[in-house]
Amino acid sequence: MALQSPNRLFTVDEYERMIEAGILTENDRVELVEGEIVERAAKGSRHSSCTNRITDLFYRHARQSAIVRVQEPVRVGRRSELEPDVALVRLRDDLYAGAHPVAADVLLLVEVSDTTLAYDHGLKLALYAGAGIPEVWVVSLPDDLIEVYALPRSGKYQEAREAHHGETIEARSVPGLTLAVDDILG
């Protein structure tokens, strides 16, 4: 009988050393999820367009109160470094040159979901809530709506609501940031 060995789980520090050593490069479409290096899904044109709209809106409306990061790493615990589509993080003079933001730096994350809706609703949302990220928006392209999650407690978001065309979303964690759903979904 052959013994199966368990997968080797990595820490964020080990993962970042692999990047520094050139084992993983910018061309590798991966992120670290619960210690496993996971390939990220390819992006369709609707996903890219929506991400670009959100990025533009955040730059116009929130750049005085936050740094806008697009598909850049955020450290979410000891064994996860995720790359949300768009993140608003606390202002910092060095623009996070010394290290990627950690959960405590995050004001708002946005995941644009087309083919990854189950993954974003499941594992990613649980990781974000468990890390205490105050607010997450999941843009559901198949359903043509935005799900707003807030108030993380005990690994779950206590508040969840849907925003549809014709409505607006006010970010709880970024004062004055109110956006029209139509402007995000197009």
Side-chain angles (χ1 to χ4, degrees), residues 90-102:
R90 295 185 194 289
L91 292 172
R92 211 165 91 177
D93 290 340
D94 74 343
L95 300 175
Y96 296 91
H100 294 305
V102 297

Side-chain angles (χ1 to χ4, degrees), residues 3 19 28 35 83 86 89 98 103 149 152 162 181:
L3 294 176
I19 294 167
D28 293 311
E83 295 188 18
V86 186
V89 297
Y149 297 91
E162 293 180 351
V181 171

